[in-house]
Amino acid sequence: MNNLNTTNPNHYLFETKHLKIAILGGIRFNNLEALRVTLGISKQKSEQVLRQNIDLYNDTSIEKLTRKVAERLEVGTTIVRRDLDSLTNELENYRLQEVENQNKSYEKQVKVLTEKEIKQAKEFLQNQNLINNTQELIGKSGVIGEEVNRLLMYLIFTSRKTNNPLHCISLGSSGAGKTHLQSKVAELIPEEDKIEMTVLSANAFYYFNRTELQNKLILIEDLDGAESVLYPLRELQSKKRITKTVAHKDKKGTTKTIHLTVEGPVSVSGCTTQESIYEDNSNRSFLLYIDESEIQDEKIMLFQRQLSAGKINHEEEHASRDLLQNCQRLLKTITIKNPFAEYLTLPNSVFKPRRTNAHYLQFIEVITFYKQYQKFHHIDRETGEEYIETSIEDIQEANELIKEVLLRKSDTLTGASRNHLENLKEYLKRNNQTQFTNSEIRRNLRVKETTLRRYNNQLLLENYIKKVQNKNIKSFCYEITNPDEYQDLKVMINNALQECITQIQLATAQPTNHIKMAKSKQTKSIT
């Protein structure tokens, strides 16, 4: 019987009744249109070996080799040809099997949930206090502090399963924990639903399979290392598909034009220290500013000490991660309708209001989507479409989480400059003074001279600080123009969001004709 021995990857052995054939150097697993090998052919129980480099898919070469082997080893041509054909079949089958195995090893295996896991995840998703419970579970999974950012990020990652996913960019100084936060929250997303990238080439996105990225979470550790793909990334976010036209030669050498298309939608998350460079991308994303306060520092250092002391419950961390991953697996894409959308307006202070308004509405839909196991599933009489509806509670929970995002969207300063200004205000208030000098701030707030100069230039340009002459030291110093401006902005945003809720409550107390007509379209609802 024919026997292909592939134990040694560099020296396969194929034996028949008459011949012993060594495949020197193994075979290549790419270029499946050819099967180039180096053969060492000998007669059984003979030391004479004929070595030949050949493409086993080339019939002319096979004919020549058959005659050469038959003549040199004194074996019939029929026997030689039959054995070479058998070798070709064996190698072909082996190569195809190995290629298939390699592809399977690259594929992320989808976990099949047990009945117990399904029941546990459903009970969690059906809990009326879902958002707060999720916040608590994220903390137990090992994400330290960053309460608002971590919950926002988790819900943004959840949006990958909706028709209009959200995106986020984490911003902060070097070493502040941007990548750490992203990677820890990403651990709560199933492996099969995310793709992590460190460095990308200019054409990387165009060579995924057409549907390989659909409803996936794309994690980019550092946007600075992905500058070449920022344009296709933006198009994938906005248009939910990208297409590239390239020239390609077929087997006959004819040049043809082919289209490489990759379908979305996707949810994209990245980290950077340079907010201004990625303005086009940040307009499409939620900007999450890392908490660099002393309180957050203390939380992290306390965790580090507990970890070193062996007082961290790793089993609880794994159980929390598994439960949140299983909840993600149970969530199904479904249409969401917000009957209160017409009453939701943003504060006038928000920049880029069109895109920000879309993000606001989409975030409310994500809250509704995440709570789908608590909702009635309605059927539209005209289309037969199944959908769930947003409730006032969903909007209130979204408003609480999105306040900081809207506040940053309304600010004329970059995140770093705003953080510096607020630290400056706190320092002046603590020391009961209104004026300050550069040397004083460098010494007490530990800011580099070049960094402080950059902050001052922006603050002066935007009229947040002004130069004044100090009579005591007879020199110029600085003074904050309006210490309460940021607090006033917070109050304005809070009032605007609360006004939306008030309008909705008034409308639901006295339903308008519009809402009545919308409700009349619903034929039935199922839990």
Side-chain angles (χ1 to χ4, degrees), residues 331-347:
L331 295 173
K332 305 297 180 185
T333 301
I334 189 171
T335 300
I336 297 161
K337 295 184 180 181
N338 184 352
F340 311 111
E342 293 177 347
Y343 301 96
L344 300 174
T345 56
L346 292 178

Side-chain angles (χ1 to χ4, degrees), residues 29-231:
F29 293 99
N30 55 357
N31 299 328
L32 298 184
E33 67 275 10
L35 188 53
R36 296 200 64 84
V37 292
T38 299
L39 302 179
I41 306 174
S42 61
K43 202 173 178 179
Q44 289 287 6
K45 299 180 181 179
S46 172
E47 295 182 0
Q48 184 180 4
V49 180
L50 187 151
R51 295 178 178 83
Q52 179 70 45
N53 186 290
I54 187 173
D55 182 358
L56 293 177
Y57 286 170
N58 189 319
D59 192 65
T60 302
S61 299
I62 291 293
E63 285 295 331
K64 291 181 180 179
L65 179 61
T66 299
R67 291 194 295 269
K68 188 175 181 179
V69 171
E71 180 181 345
R72 184 81 60 87
L73 302 181
E74 298 179 350
V75 181
T77 55
T78 303
I79 294 173
V80 175
R81 180 62 194 244
R82 182 192 64 205
D83 289 354
L84 288 175
D85 286 344
S86 297
L87 171 65
T88 303
N89 291 333
E90 290 282 341
L91 288 175
E92 185 178 60
N93 292 333
Y94 171 71
R95 182 167 67 172
L96 289 173
Q97 184 63 45
E98 285 298 303
V99 169
E100 185 178 346
N101 291 339
Q102 285 182 5
N103 291 337
K104 285 182 179 179
S105 67
Y106 291 138
E107 292 178 0
K108 294 179 179 177
Q109 299 299 316
V110 178
K111 179 182 177 181
V112 178
L113 300 183
T114 64
E115 289 294 329
K116 181 180 178 181
E117 289 173 329
I118 293 174
K119 181 182 178 182
Q120 186 183 20
K122 275 188 178 180
E123 287 177 353
F124 183 81
L125 290 170
Q126 289 169 348
N127 193 295
Q128 294 299 314
N129 203 22
L130 176 61
I131 299 299
N132 288 335
N133 289 348
T134 300
Q135 173 72 279
E136 184 181 346
L137 210 57
I138 294 173
K140 290 180 179 179
S141 72
V143 184
I144 309 303
E146 297 284 2
E147 285 79 5
V148 174
N149 281 340
R150 71 191 188 189
L151 185 55
L152 269 172
M153 189 176 284
Y154 177 76
L155 291 170
I156 289 169
F157 290 176
T158 301
S159 73
R160 77 193 183 282
K161 302 188 96 171
T162 67
N163 294 323
N164 295 298
L166 295 170
H167 319 280
C168 66
I169 296 178
S170 299
L171 297 156
S173 59
S174 180
K178 304 177 296 298
T179 305
H180 179 72
L181 176 63
Q182 177 177 276
S183 61
K184 292 298 289 184
V185 177
E187 289 178 2
L188 311 178
I189 305 300
E191 285 294 324
E192 64 269 18
D193 286 354
K194 61 188 178 185
I195 298 174
E196 300 183 59
M197 301 176 178
T198 305
V199 180
L200 305 171
S201 65
N203 295 316
F205 276 110
Y206 296 102
Y207 290 94
F208 283 100
N209 293 333
R210 189 182 186 99
T211 60
E212 190 175 352
L213 294 182
Q214 272 188 351
N215 299 115
K216 292 289 191 295
L217 170 63
I218 298 177
L219 299 163
I220 303 174
E221 289 186 10
D222 190 348
L223 287 173
D224 298 341
E227 290 184 31
S228 58
V229 296
L230 291 183
Y231 174 72

Side-chain angles (χ1 to χ4, degrees), residues 391-433:
S391 66
I392 298 177
E393 291 74 20
D394 299 340
I395 298 172
Q396 289 173 326
E397 288 174 333
N399 286 352
E400 285 301 314
L401 286 171
I402 210 171
K403 281 179 184 177
E404 183 68 21
V405 174
L406 293 179
L407 187 61
R408 296 289 189 171
K409 289 278 188 181
S410 305
D411 198 356
T412 56
L413 296 176
T414 63
S417 296
R418 169 54 67 185
N419 290 340
H420 170 71
L421 180 57
E422 293 308 302
N423 290 337
L424 192 57
K425 290 178 185 178
E426 187 179 343
Y427 168 78
L428 294 176
K429 183 178 180 181
R430 188 168 59 246
N431 291 279
N432 195 25
Q433 61 188 79

Side-chain angles (χ1 to χ4, degrees), residues 164-307:
N164 295 298
L166 295 170
H167 319 280
C168 66
I169 296 178
S170 299
L171 297 156
S173 59
S174 180
K178 304 177 296 298
T179 305
H180 179 72
L181 176 63
Q182 177 177 276
S183 61
K184 292 298 289 184
V185 177
E187 289 178 2
L188 311 178
I189 305 300
E191 285 294 324
E192 64 269 18
D193 286 354
K194 61 188 178 185
I195 298 174
E196 300 183 59
M197 301 176 178
T198 305
V199 180
L200 305 171
S201 65
N203 295 316
F205 276 110
Y206 296 102
Y207 290 94
F208 283 100
N209 293 333
R210 189 182 186 99
T211 60
E212 190 175 352
L213 294 182
Q214 272 188 351
N215 299 115
K216 292 289 191 295
L217 170 63
I218 298 177
L219 299 163
I220 303 174
E221 289 186 10
D222 190 348
L223 287 173
D224 298 341
E227 290 184 31
S228 58
V229 296
L230 291 183
Y231 174 72
L233 194 61
R234 289 196 296 269
E235 294 302 297
L236 195 56
Q237 288 173 301
S238 299
K239 298 180 180 178
K240 301 177 186 176
R241 64 183 294 172
I242 51 175
T243 301
K244 182 178 183 179
T245 303
V246 296
H248 175 74
K249 285 188 177 181
D250 60 18
K251 293 181 180 180
K252 296 180 181 179
T254 305
T255 302
K256 292 185 177 181
T257 299
I258 62 171
H259 303 285
L260 304 175
T261 301
V262 179
E263 303 278 357
V266 298
S267 178
V268 181
S269 177
C271 306
T272 183
T273 58
Q274 306 179 63
E275 179 180 350
S276 57
I277 291 181
Y278 305 104
E279 184 177 357
D280 286 343
N281 290 76
S282 63
N283 286 336
R284 294 167 170 80
S285 308
F286 278 60
L287 303 183
L288 307 182
Y289 291 87
I290 298 301
D291 185 358
E292 300 184 43
S293 66
E294 293 182 1
I295 296 175
Q296 175 66 11
D297 290 341
E298 186 55 41
K299 287 179 182 178
I300 293 173
M301 290 187 289
L302 175 61
F303 175 81
Q304 291 170 342
R305 289 191 288 267
Q306 290 176 336
L307 182 64

